[in-house]
Amino acid sequence: MRLRNIPGSQKIVDESPLVIKEAEKTRGLWKELFGNDHPVHIEVGMGKGKFLMTLAASHPDINYVGIERYTSVLLRALQKIEENPLPNLVFVCMDAADLEQIFAEGEVAKIYLNFSDPWPKDRHAKRRLPSREFLMRYDRILEKNGRIEFKTDNRALFDFAVGELGPAGWQAERISYDLHSDKELMRDNVMTEYEEKFSSVGNPICKYIVYRT
Ligand code: SAM
């Protein structure tokens, strides 16, 4: 994602009621925050948030939390949703490396990773959101039968991600190297901003759904 420092974005994020501040205080209390007992699904690296907004509108029985590191990006999501907020969608501005500080063990039912930054240099592999280091973090916050769903058009990142599963104790329930040709997976598919962009120029989209072994 091209990042520009947008003046004032920090203030807008700080003042938005849709962004949970001091989210460590909500650790273990997300159901109370939403005021119901519905499962919590998160997208890590949500960007401008189209994916989660679409899901939240069509699944009022699921609570969604969007995680995004940069205020300049989160601002775009806020601009989109503030006219028409959804009761089951909130955001946290943070580095996903600290997810365990805001979610208690087993508090999350599903994790979405969409078009995660590739970090192509080997020495940055630990920063990749589907790396084994991140899988260990997800392992701690995800409920027992929870799933991670990952999509990308970056074949090198996808191959890396698939290679990380076994050593980290995860197993693939579904793997597709051409999601948009897979009728079954496409039935519930919600396109992300990046997915629209890259599939429109003919890039095949890879997807996995994984669980713990
Ligand atoms: N998921 C969106 C989509 O598919 O359109 C956005 C994809 S964009 C390439 C990746 C996003 O992940 C960026 O907005 C970036 O700031 C965010 N991101 C990357 N690493 C992150 C981290 N460690 N914690 C939180 N957000 C992160």
Side-chain angles (χ1 to χ4, degrees):
M1 172 146 321
R2 199 148 30 94
L3 287 172
R4 279 183 300 130
N5 184 19
I6 299 176
S9 62
Q10 183 69 54
K11 186 166 185 286
I12 293 167
V13 165
D14 284 348
E15 288 175 357
S16 171
L18 302 179
V19 181
I20 306 306
K21 265 65 74 174
E22 299 184 88
E24 318 77 62
K25 292 186 181 161
T26 312
R27 189 174 189 275
L29 300 169
W30 285 94
K31 288 189 176 162
E32 280 83 345
L33 179 123
F34 285 106
N36 58 49
D37 207 23
H38 300 163
V40 174
H41 294 188
I42 69 173
E43 184 184 7
V44 183
M46 55 165 263
K48 298 179 195 164
K50 173 181 175 286
F51 174 80
L52 280 190
M53 287 177 210
T54 310
L55 279 182
S58 54
H59 298 282
D61 51 342
I62 296 173
N63 298 320
Y64 293 93
V65 182
I67 308 291
E68 172 54 49
R69 183 166 35 183
Y70 294 111
T71 55
S72 53
V73 181
L74 187 48
L75 174 70
R76 298 299 183 210
L78 294 175
Q79 287 168 336
K80 240 187 275 177
I81 200 173
E82 260 168 1
E83 281 163 28
N84 199 6
L86 295 159
N88 58 334
L89 173 59
V90 296
F91 308 110
V92 181
C93 194
M94 66 178 291
D95 183 342
D98 299 324
L99 276 177
E100 293 155 79
Q101 293 179 19
I102 72 157
F103 293 110
E105 199 177 324
E107 198 171 16
V108 173
K110 192 183 273 190
I111 297 175
Y112 293 103
L113 308 174
N114 290 318
F115 295 80
S116 308
D117 295 334
W119 292 106
K121 292 185 178 146
D122 284 349
R123 70 172 189 277
H124 292 149
K126 288 181 184 173
R127 298 184 193 177
R128 298 173 191 154
L129 293 180
S131 66
R132 67 188 70 184
E133 288 78 10
F134 272 93
L135 289 173
M136 273 164 58
R137 297 179 176 117
Y138 306 145
D139 180 39
R140 296 191 199 107
I141 64 170
L142 198 61
E143 69 177 36
K144 197 164 155 268
N145 292 315
R147 299 288 191 266
I148 301 175
E149 299 198 7
F150 171 50
K151 293 196 277 191
T152 182
D153 69 319
N154 185 317
R155 183 60 192 265
L157 178 65
F158 193 69
D159 289 344
F160 165 83
V162 169
E164 293 293 88
L165 295 174
W170 295 75
Q171 188 163 315
E173 177 175 279
R174 288 296 308 267
I175 292 188
S176 171
Y177 291 90
D178 188 3
L179 168 65
H180 290 197
S181 302
D182 186 319
K183 274 197 188 138
E184 199 188 316
L185 283 177
M186 281 305 280
R187 213 172 296 134
D188 298 323
N189 191 54
V190 171
M191 297 260 264
T192 79
E193 269 108 359
Y194 271 66
E195 185 171 355
E196 277 177 355
K197 185 166 133 188
F198 292 121
S199 61
S200 72
V201 294
N203 293 6
I205 307 301
C206 303
K207 173 168 180 168
Y208 73 40
I209 302 174
V210 299
Y211 61 98
R212 298 190 206 66
T213 47

